[in-house]
Amino acid sequence: MERFLPCLYAFLACAGFSIVFEIRKPLFIFLSCVTGAVGWLVYLLLAEIGSDVVRYLLATIVVSLLSEIFARMLKAPATIFLVIGIVPLVPGGGLYYAMDYLLNGNYAMFAQKGLETAACAGAIAAGVSVVTSIVRMAASRRPENPKQKNE
């Protein structure tokens, strides 16, 4: 239960951002919230790895894969699910503490926290890029529809 309650919070946070981004279809809202909750669950389950950057990368890969799957199933843009699904993974706390250290004159801690946050944000960007690139390469290698050749 200790790991599932934060996933419920991630689900609800994604629901709030779905409203902010004006997603109208209830199925899209639900699936984007599921994507965010599953991504956060993956992040929590990988706690034994120790490296936050690796946890962010792997969780983002899962979120990106789910987004691509839902997009193909529903014939919708993957960004609908991806942007909402990444919301729980955004390292906002790290950025807040980095700015707090900067404003309080603790430059060593600012640099440390800032680099950690930048690395986590880079891992998120890399995870999205890797999955999106692989999906696009796979889609471009798909053979043409045989029915179209005969017509």
Side-chain angles (χ1 to χ4, degrees):
M1 188 67 172
E2 183 178 306
R3 289 190 177 155
F4 295 111
L5 198 55
C7 295
L8 174 65
Y9 299 149
F11 184 93
L12 294 174
C14 290
F17 274 93
S18 296
I19 294 168
V20 170
F21 288 128
E22 297 181 6
I23 297 177
R24 305 222 186 269
K25 294 186 178 181
L27 182 61
F28 288 8
I29 293 171
F30 177 74
L31 291 177
S32 62
C33 294
V34 166
T35 302
V38 169
W40 191 247
L41 179 64
V42 169
Y43 177 80
L44 293 176
L45 290 176
L46 295 174
E48 290 79 30
I49 288 180
S51 171
D52 276 349
V53 175
V54 174
R55 291 169 66 193
Y56 275 106
L57 177 68
L58 295 175
T60 303
I61 287 173
V62 170
V63 167
S64 296
L65 283 172
L66 282 174
S67 298
E68 293 290 343
I69 290 168
F70 292 151
R72 299 300 180 268
M73 285 174 36
L74 300 171
K75 294 181 175 48
T79 54
I80 293 172
F81 308 104
L82 183 62
V83 171
I84 301 298
I86 284 181
V87 165
L89 295 174
V90 172
L95 186 59
Y96 170 81
Y97 289 115
M99 292 300 110
D100 186 48
Y101 291 135
L102 177 66
L103 293 174
N104 290 325
N106 191 345
Y107 300 116
M109 286 302 293
F110 162 70
Q112 178 185 350
K113 191 55 98 171
L115 287 174
E116 287 174 13
T117 304
C120 292
I124 291 171
V128 170
S129 297
V130 166
V131 172
T132 303
S133 298
I134 290 171
V135 168
R136 287 184 190 217
M137 285 178 8
S140 69
R141 291 181 183 229
R142 225 182 292 166
E144 290 183 28
N145 189 353
K147 291 180 183 177
Q148 290 176 348
K149 285 185 176 181
N150 295 334
E151 295 178 359

